Amino acid sequence: MTIDHTHDAAARSWVASANDPATDFPLQNLPFCAFRRAGTLEPFRVGVGIGDQILDLSAWGIADLNALMARPSSERRALRHRLFDTLKVGAPELELVPQAAAEYTVPCRIGDYTDFYTGIHHARAIGKLFRPDNPLLPNYQWVPIGYHGRSSSIVVSGTPLRRPKGQVKPPDADAPVFKPSARIDCELELGLFVGPGNALGEPFGIDEADEHAFGLTLLNDWSARDIQPWEYQPLGPFLAKNFGTTISPWIVTMEALEPFRIPFTRPAGDPQPLPYLDSPAHRAGAAYDIELEIWFKTPGMAEPARLSRSNLRHAYWSLAQMLTHHASNGCNLQPGDLLGTGTLSGPEPEEAGSLLELTGGGKQPLTLPNGEQRTFVQDGDQLGLRAFAEKPGYRRIGFGACDGVILPAR
């Protein structure tokens, strides 16, 4: 764990909005994005969030976030220190771009996307619905489960998605039908962006994993729950998942999250990780205390309502284990690759990370503050994810918005 002056809660910025206790982006955060002025055809540029403003890094010679991701962590920390000093009270004020006047795209080139399944409480809950006699498969507690997703359909927060069509087979039908999905769901996840990669055929150890982690973003891996059970066996998720994945425009660096590390532990009696996924240093601080929330708004609601709240600490596998296992067979990870955590549900019902769990498989509709009810996402509904880390003695670190609206199927 590396705590330094950039985590000092007493430090203030000359950007007044960054000193607001409620801001997602205080001086101690400094997340990256790709932005341009709204309504223009300017090229997207790399920026850093500070309060409600953006610092354009094009004047700093930083035009490609993937190239920055490829740099060693020591160089990234040096850049963080320079940004911190530039935006701290007493430094000369620079021209900034208001976030309200900007539009965003995905923050980097995402070559490959892998979605893991690290939330054991979600795995058990979904397993009970899909496989009541065998909810948690025997490999789950031994190997980090994942599948390769579709990077081309990853979109930035605010991008509408069309309701997908697919094959659906009702339980009492003799044959499936091709129709619009009626059970669109969210998945409350974080996405880990890979920093420096590894060469093909060259795995790395668990204590080297931090060097390959650049930062985290909010991630909603939308799911068509009526398409999923018919197609997912024997090879796993396909069209029920790849119609769209929404991410926040902001990448919160691992350096900003250093104060929120916590010990990585397994419940008593559970199998311990195999040696290549375990070490004393990993056990001492590989987990993170990051709060996660689902918010929902129908067209008839004036304000969104929070549906659930969970935490990254409930993950059964750590970020370092995801990275290490992915490369353990010699797979070459590359800067900008995205690894989803999988749905991060907690042990309590109100900590569910999907509508499927919150509604008992669609059998128990949720009643919203205006009296409307929902089991799954209807056309025009907006679903948003939020995340933040807070701890006494440190500034609150937020992740920005991860919002999406479902449009009618074509």
Side-chain angles (χ1 to χ4, degrees):
M1 182 181 295
T2 305
I3 304 294
D4 59 30
H5 69 282
T6 66
H7 303 105
D8 179 7
R12 293 291 180 266
S13 173
W14 52 261
V15 181
S17 58
N19 301 321
D20 183 344
T23 184
D24 273 2
F25 305 146
L27 180 62
Q28 294 77 4
N29 190 347
L30 305 176
F32 291 97
C33 70
F35 80 102
R36 67 184 177 192
R37 295 178 188 273
T40 73
L41 296 179
E42 297 173 349
F44 285 99
R45 306 185 294 277
V46 179
V48 165
I50 179 71
D52 60 4
Q53 304 289 312
I54 304 170
L55 174 64
D56 187 345
L57 293 186
S58 56
W60 294 45
I62 300 175
D64 185 335
L65 192 56
N66 290 75
L68 176 61
M69 291 171 155
R71 297 179 184 176
S73 60
S74 58
E75 293 187 27
R76 301 199 307 265
R77 281 194 298 273
L79 175 61
R80 175 177 168 84
H81 292 174
R82 184 183 170 198
L83 288 166
F84 185 90
D85 293 342
T86 297
L87 294 165
K88 189 178 178 181
V89 164
E93 297 189 11
L94 306 174
E95 181 181 357
L96 302 175
V97 178
Q99 291 174 23
E103 62 184 31
Y104 305 90
T105 187
V106 291
C108 65
R109 296 185 306 281
I110 303 172
D112 285 297
Y113 165 47
T114 301
D115 198 29
F116 280 85
Y117 201 39
T118 69
I120 192 169
H121 303 293
H122 174 74
R124 284 197 174 108
I126 297 300
K128 288 177 182 177
L129 294 171
F130 286 0
R131 301 180 305 274
D133 56 336
N134 191 23
L136 193 67
L137 296 176
N139 63 347
Y140 186 90
Q141 293 173 297
W142 291 101
V143 58
I145 303 297
Y147 73 95
H148 293 292
R150 182 76 182 178
S151 60
S152 65
S153 55
I154 297 174
V155 298
V156 74
S157 175
T159 305
L161 289 171
R162 288 282 177 187
R163 181 176 299 274
K165 296 179 180 179
Q167 286 196 22
V168 177
K169 185 181 180 299
D172 56 350
D174 294 328
V177 294
F178 184 75
K179 61 186 286 289
S181 170
R183 293 164 69 93
I184 297 298
D185 196 1
C186 67
E187 294 201 340
L188 178 59
E189 304 191 31
L190 287 169
L192 171 64
F193 278 104
V194 175
N198 59 295
L200 183 65
E202 298 292 334
F204 50 82
I206 188 72
D207 289 336
E208 301 172 278
D210 283 353
E211 179 63 28
H212 299 273
F214 180 79
L216 297 179
T217 190
L218 272 167
L219 186 152
N220 178 5
D221 192 31
W222 298 90
S223 301
R225 297 299 189 187
D226 43 0
I227 298 172
Q228 184 177 356
W230 174 240
E231 71 170 10
Y232 89 105
Q233 298 189 53
L235 294 181
F238 187 31
L239 300 185
K241 296 280 192 177
N242 69 6
F243 65 93
T245 301
T246 302
I247 63 172
S248 166
W250 303 98
I251 303 177
V252 177
T253 66
M254 304 312 298
E255 288 77 20
L257 295 169
E258 277 293 307
F260 308 100
R261 284 183 180 265
I262 55 176
F264 176 84
T265 58
R266 281 281 172 83
D270 279 17
Q272 294 305 305
L274 294 179
Y276 79 103
L277 295 174
D278 196 12
S279 77
H282 179 267
R283 294 189 183 205
Y288 290 84
D289 184 4
I290 299 174
E291 297 285 341
L292 306 160
E293 299 176 338
I294 299 176
W295 290 76
F296 199 90
K297 182 179 180 294
T298 73
M301 295 170 62
E303 298 293 337
R306 191 177 74 189
L307 298 185
S308 73
R309 187 170 180 178
S310 187
N311 195 292
L312 178 58
R313 66 172 178 266
H314 297 311
Y316 198 76
W317 296 97
S318 72
L319 303 173
Q321 288 170 328
M322 288 165 48
L323 283 164
T324 303
H325 180 68
H326 204 314
S328 63
N329 67 341
C331 174
N332 53 322
L333 300 176
Q334 300 180 80
D337 283 355
L338 181 62
L339 310 185
T341 60
T343 309
L344 294 165
S345 301
E348 303 302 325
E350 65 273 16
E351 296 176 301
S354 68
L355 296 176
L356 190 67
E357 296 166 84
L358 287 167
T359 65
K363 297 177 182 178
Q364 302 159 7
L366 298 171
T367 300
L368 301 169
N370 67 342
E372 291 184 89
Q373 291 189 323
R374 289 291 189 272
T375 49
F376 295 98
V377 182
Q378 296 185 12
D379 293 343
D381 289 345
Q382 176 179 294
L383 198 143
L385 308 183
R386 301 291 184 269
F388 59 91
E390 57 184 2
K391 178 181 179 180
Y394 295 95
R395 286 297 303 272
R396 176 186 181 276
I397 301 296
F399 284 71
C402 181
D403 295 335
V405 174
I406 296 297
L407 301 179
R410 290 197 182 278

